[in-house]
Amino acid sequence: MAKKDRLDLGAVLQRDKESYAIVPHIPGGICTPDTLRKIAEVAEKFNAKAIKATGAQRLAIVGLKEEDLEKVWQELGMNPAAAVGMCVRSIKFCPGTTFCRLAQQDSIKMGLKLDEMYHGYKLPAKFKIGVSGCPNACADSWIRDIGLIGTKKGWKLVGGGNGGRDPRIAHVLAENLNDEQALELIQKIIQKFENVKKPSRIGKYINEIGIEEFKREIGISDTTSGEGQVDLTNINEEALYNLTYGLYVVGSVKDGKVNAQIANTVIQVTSEPPKISVTLHKNNLTHEYIKDSGVFSVSILSQDTPPHFIGTFGFKSGKDVDKFSNVKYVVGKTGAPIIVENALAVMEAKVVGSLDIGTHTIFVGEVVASDVVKKGTPLTYEYYHKIKKGKEPKNAPTYREEPKTDSAKTGEEYVCKVCGYIYDPTNGDPDNNIEPGTPFEKLPDNWTCPVCGASKSDFEKI
Ligand code: SF4
């Protein structure tokens, strides 16, 4: 008879359709050497094929025989983690103020409390929680059903995030919460979620009813969230961060030479006739070309655009390199180069007006041709910044300096002098197949910055 998962024994059938994996519960992935030894000894005794560190901060023992499962659990003396099923699957938390020098809140204390309250708690759909001690959000709080992020003023509560096939960044639900307030709101969300008529992930539910209605349903008031109280005596730059942008390649031509650059400031300004505007820094070569030729093209980038492509067009100058040498593009009726690679849609326009705004010029162009290249999700600035960990060149109209991190003092991180990307050995560089834990010194000599393509020698220790 074909084998099946043995959920009664917390065991999941593996790809070979023969052996099983089990996952002992280790809250937050924090354990003693004794626990690690016990797991290793039991894995060895029962001839497990591997021990695998999982994304939920657990250790899976993989490749066990079905007849050994009961004995394995007895010898481990541990409980199974809620790795499958409709329940609170995982509460991921970072080292917080207990260990991390950057932490602003005690994420271990909060994570353990949430784990004690909700790990394995039955719900109509799967549910994940992330607790991070500071805005670096190492516990993936932005892509969890519920996330907490430590700030100097307390916890920021975010909800509706999701990783996997349908990635989604969580909404900010409330800010400046103390531990009790955060726990109370999480309890309300979970109670609400327990009774939804149509089970789905929270993000989908929020999409259906709208974020304001969701907040109303769980009783988040303006006072709790800090909303509705404004101070208009100063400029709060954080307010500007709420403006949303896409990411585009803007191209132009001058004397038969072509150039293009990344811009996040393309918007449609009228519909009949369709006109678009783009704002570029006066020092940029594309600015010079548009001023000269009076034409420009726009390619709307897809969400899966690789970082090195953005690096080429966003962090290198056409004065120094030929950005078009390895890129697929066509020349439109205006003569502007139109990049098709990584684009969802393209258009070209003739300039009908411009406005000098000091460091930058706003060009307004009437669209003379446009087409859809393929279906897909457009790359937004928010996705680029939060999920792809992308940086912004200094000439971007929306440039803001990255906050310096104290981890610089560890001497392990290196910063790219071209684009500001930080190589953190903890994460490695998945885009270039560099394993987490690889020190900068051990990177191959031909390794290049995953964002802008700068060479290893362009990095300096921070
Ligand atoms: S830097 Fe990361 S590990 Fe440290 S407190 Fe912030 S989120 Fe947690």
Side-chain angles (χ1 to χ4, degrees):
M1 200 172 80
K3 287 180 183 265
K4 290 186 181 157
D5 287 343
R6 289 292 310 272
L7 299 184
D8 53 322
L9 290 169
V12 176
L13 187 62
Q14 297 299 281
R15 193 179 175 87
D16 60 11
K17 302 271 197 302
E18 188 55 44
S19 67
Y20 286 81
I22 62 158
V23 188
H25 184 43
I26 307 174
I30 300 168
C31 66
T32 61
D34 277 347
T35 306
L36 270 187
R37 257 192 297 275
K38 172 64 83 181
I39 290 172
E41 280 165 12
V42 172
E44 198 169 52
K45 179 169 175 183
F46 291 94
N47 294 316
K49 290 183 186 152
I51 297 176
K52 165 84 176 76
T54 73
Q57 301 179 317
R58 293 162 174 157
L59 291 172
I61 307 177
V62 183
L64 295 166
K65 293 196 194 81
E66 186 173 7
E67 58 270 29
D68 290 337
L69 293 173
E70 268 181 70
K71 280 179 272 167
V72 167
W73 280 119
Q74 275 164 17
E75 297 223 4
L76 278 173
M78 297 172 78
N79 294 320
V84 292
M86 301 305 176
C87 63
V88 178
R89 293 256 190 104
S90 62
I91 294 102
K92 186 170 180 175
F93 46 95
C94 79
T97 47
T98 315
F99 300 114
C100 179
R101 68 173 73 197
L102 301 181
Q104 293 169 1
Q105 294 294 328
D106 190 345
S107 48
I108 289 190
K109 182 175 152 210
M110 178 58 92
L112 287 172
K113 181 77 191 161
L114 287 167
D115 193 277
E116 182 192 316
M117 292 171 75
Y118 298 117
H119 172 250
Y121 192 88
K122 294 282 175 236
L123 285 173
K126 70 175 171 183
F127 199 95
K128 296 181 180 179
I129 301 176
V131 185
S132 305
C134 83
N136 284 337
C138 296
D140 297 336
S141 305
W142 286 105
I143 51 169
R144 292 285 177 261
D145 294 277
I146 290 179
L148 285 175
I149 296 166
T151 70
K152 286 190 181 129
K153 293 183 179 172
W155 293 106
K156 178 184 284 192
L157 174 69
V158 300
N162 197 12
R165 278 169 187 253
D166 188 16
R168 198 173 177 289
I169 294 172
H171 294 271
V172 175
L173 300 176
E175 298 191 72
N176 309 335
L177 305 171
N178 62 30
D179 286 9
E180 288 69 37
Q181 288 170 321
L183 286 168
E184 195 182 321
L185 281 178
I186 290 172
Q187 187 184 24
K188 282 186 183 168
I189 293 172
I190 287 183
Q191 279 171 352
K192 166 81 211 157
F193 198 59
E194 246 178 320
N195 299 312
V196 288
K197 291 197 186 93
K198 218 166 81 188
S200 68
R201 299 294 290 267
I202 282 200
K204 215 167 158 203
Y205 181 66
I206 292 176
N207 275 358
E208 280 167 18
I209 67 165
I211 184 63
E212 293 313 319
E213 175 61 15
F214 180 75
K215 283 191 195 174
R216 203 190 55 72
E217 283 188 350
I218 55 173
I220 291 185
S221 64
D222 285 358
T223 323
T224 321
S225 65
E227 286 175 3
Q229 299 155 19
V230 290
D231 170 8
L232 295 176
T233 55
N234 293 301
I235 294 176
N236 179 352
E237 287 195 358
E238 224 179 307
L240 301 173
Y241 303 164
N242 287 286
L243 293 167
T244 55
Y245 306 92
L247 275 194
Y248 314 95
V249 183
V250 175
S252 190
V253 61
K254 179 184 175 187
D255 300 333
K257 285 195 247 160
V258 292
N259 194 54
Q261 67 158 85
I262 298 285
N264 65 350
T265 49
V266 177
I267 46 174
Q268 181 171 356
V269 288
T270 63
S271 61
E272 285 185 17
K275 290 187 194 132
I276 53 178
S277 74
V278 61
T279 305
L280 298 183
H281 197 283
K282 288 177 182 173
N283 288 347
N284 289 2
L285 194 60
T286 310
H287 179 282
E288 180 188 320
Y289 282 21
I290 297 177
K291 256 206 129 39
D292 185 83
S293 63
V295 300
F296 65 92
S297 66
V298 172
S299 305
I300 300 172
L301 293 177
S302 105
Q303 191 169 274
D304 53 13
T305 302
H308 66 80
F309 178 93
I310 296 172
T312 301
F313 286 95
F315 291 95
K316 291 182 180 164
S317 170
K319 294 170 191 164
D320 307 323
V321 294
D322 176 8
K323 299 185 186 181
F324 289 83
S325 58
N326 289 313
V327 170
K328 208 166 140 198
Y329 73 101
V330 295
V331 175
K333 61 168 80 163
T334 61
I338 302 171
I339 295 195
V340 183
E341 198 171 317
N342 298 312
L344 296 181
V346 292
M347 56 204 72
E348 57 182 324
K350 282 190 179 155
V351 175
V352 292
S354 65
L355 181 64
D356 184 331
I357 50 168
T359 52
H360 294 71
T361 303
I362 303 173
F363 295 104
V364 177
E366 185 171 330
V367 175
V368 295
S370 62
D371 202 2
V372 173
V373 181
K374 63 180 179 186
K375 289 206 170 6
T377 307
L379 177 59
T380 62
Y381 176 72
E382 189 182 31
Y383 188 88
Y384 170 70
H385 196 65
K386 286 192 177 147
I387 303 294
K388 291 189 172 247
K389 308 286 183 204
K391 309 290 172 193
E392 211 176 11
K394 283 200 168 144
N395 282 351
T398 52
Y399 175 76
R400 53 186 188 254
E401 202 149 335
E402 298 278 332
K404 301 243 181 320
T405 64
D406 191 31
S407 62
K409 291 186 195 132
T410 64
E412 291 168 347
E413 294 180 346
Y414 281 72
V415 63
C416 174
K417 288 185 280 180
V418 179
C419 72
Y421 164 82
I422 291 172
Y423 177 77
D424 178 353
T426 319
N427 304 326
D429 171 13
D431 289 320
N432 285 317
N433 297 321
I434 302 292
E435 297 280 331
T438 309
F440 183 82
E441 296 75 12
K442 293 268 169 69
L443 294 174
D445 289 342
N446 61 356
W447 176 80
T448 53
C449 173
V451 173
C452 71
S455 63
K456 194 178 168 189
S457 59
D458 287 318
F459 277 71
E460 65 185 8
K461 204 185 236 188
I462 51 173

